[in-house]
Amino acid sequence: MTRKVTAYSCGSPIRLSVINAIAMGAAADHVVSNPDPQYIRGDSIIWGLIRGASRLMLETRENGFDFYQVDNAYFGRDQFFRVTKNATQLRHLPNRVLSNRYRETLAHLGKEILPWRRTRSGPIVLCPSSEFLHRGTADGSVQGWVQAVYKQIRLVTNREVVVRIKALRPADDIDEFIRDAWCVVTHVSAAGLDALRLGVPVVTTGDCAATPLSTPMSQIEKPLMEDGREALFSLLGCSQFTLQEMRSTNIPKTIDALLSQI
């Protein structure tokens, strides 16, 4: 029996087109555009994390169904959108490269995965996540997270520490800011992936896509630089899609097939 699917934009006027696109390809039974929507029994496609999205994810799972969370891309923002099953980010490290899609995407963006930078002279760069992603954590806010992380860093090193606050539409290229960083520390921001791509070590305080290759805070003076970045980016590249791909493909089934490979 085919399971019912409802797509929720959770009141985002900017991303309604994304939800409409993925709903079309998945042949969703309903599209709900208002904020704080009521859960409709069945599988859910959900935009973002606010305006009732987190509650929808919880209720979907409590009722024994799957949700597919849709959000900004791991890389290639506004050109691609990531889709994750029963989670908000992939947290897997495949044991092999799954496809060359990630290379094609990075090349289109004028980017590539660089060798690990063994020699770096820059500071430790703190890259907080968006304010709402820090709510509900022990630190409760961006400011609280920065203060708590700074104290932890001072227990193990006296290196210079600088903070880069995330803007909704950054005016600068983060690559230039973190290219020579000793290490990037983030909660769950995509800045962690930017650092890995540039060959800069990463510390994550939350569970996110960069976590499988992150360094424990206690080892920040001797950060890990392990193999696996190509495999990680190949997985992420296979789990984000253009609007046209969403319209023409059943993305939930594509994600199910992808997860069966890892």
Side-chain angles (χ1 to χ4, degrees):
M1 181 182 296
T2 302
R3 288 158 65 131
K4 297 290 185 181
V5 179
T6 300
Y8 305 85
S9 72
C10 294
S12 172
I14 298 175
R15 299 311 188 196
L16 179 58
S17 62
V18 180
I19 286 299
N20 283 335
I22 191 171
M24 179 185 297
D29 299 277
H30 307 279
V31 177
V32 180
S33 60
N34 55 294
D36 297 308
Q38 294 298 309
Y39 169 65
I40 299 173
R41 187 173 176 81
D43 291 341
S44 300
I45 299 171
I46 304 168
W47 171 264
L49 297 168
I50 59 177
R51 306 184 192 92
S54 296
R55 175 180 49 78
L56 284 173
M57 294 180 215
L58 180 62
E59 291 182 3
T60 302
R61 296 301 289 151
E62 286 179 341
N63 280 275
F65 292 94
D66 296 317
F67 69 81
Y68 297 83
Q69 197 257 353
V70 189
D71 218 314
N72 293 312
Y74 295 109
F75 44 96
R77 185 185 176 109
D78 294 332
Q79 299 179 52
F80 297 85
F81 300 91
R82 72 176 188 255
V83 183
T84 318
K85 183 178 182 179
N86 296 330
T88 57
Q89 292 190 39
L90 283 170
R91 303 173 179 93
H92 307 279
L93 183 62
N95 58 16
R96 60 186 175 86
V97 172
L98 302 176
S99 80
N100 286 325
R101 178 181 170 92
Y102 75 106
R103 291 181 181 170
E104 296 168 359
T105 302
L106 289 175
H108 174 71
L109 298 171
K111 311 287 186 181
E112 62 180 324
I113 298 176
L114 300 177
W116 283 115
R117 292 178 61 85
R118 305 287 175 177
T119 303
R120 304 175 309 285
S121 58
I124 296 170
V125 180
L126 307 190
C127 293
S129 302
S130 301
E131 185 74 40
F132 69 86
L133 286 171
H134 288 280
R135 296 173 191 166
T137 66
D139 308 312
S141 66
V142 167
Q143 182 179 6
W145 179 84
V146 168
Q147 292 173 346
V149 167
Y150 183 83
K151 290 179 181 177
Q152 294 177 56
I153 290 172
R154 281 293 167 258
L155 294 176
V156 292
T157 184
N158 289 318
R159 290 183 182 275
E160 179 187 4
V161 177
V162 300
V163 181
R164 183 183 191 272
I165 299 298
K166 179 180 180 180
L168 184 61
R169 291 288 184 271
D172 60 333
D173 186 348
I174 191 173
D175 287 19
E176 299 307 314
F177 198 89
I178 65 175
R179 189 181 303 277
D180 198 39
W182 177 254
C183 187
V184 166
V185 183
T186 187
H187 185 52
V188 294
S189 172
L193 294 173
D194 291 318
L196 290 177
R197 172 175 51 78
L198 293 170
V200 174
V202 173
V203 173
T204 62
T205 61
D207 201 7
C208 63
T211 298
L213 291 173
S214 67
T215 293
M217 190 77 74
S218 60
Q219 295 180 232
I220 206 166
E221 265 299 308
K222 295 182 179 180
L224 303 177
M225 288 179 275
E226 298 182 336
D227 295 336
R229 290 181 298 150
E230 301 277 348
L232 176 63
F233 274 79
S234 76
L235 173 62
L236 302 181
C238 287
S239 64
Q240 57 181 38
F241 308 90
T242 65
L243 290 181
Q244 182 54 42
E245 288 172 329
M246 288 181 168
R247 294 186 191 101
S248 61
T249 308
N250 189 318
I251 298 301
K253 288 186 177 180
T254 300
I255 292 297
D256 291 347
L258 175 65
L259 294 177
S260 71
Q261 299 180 50
I262 60 175

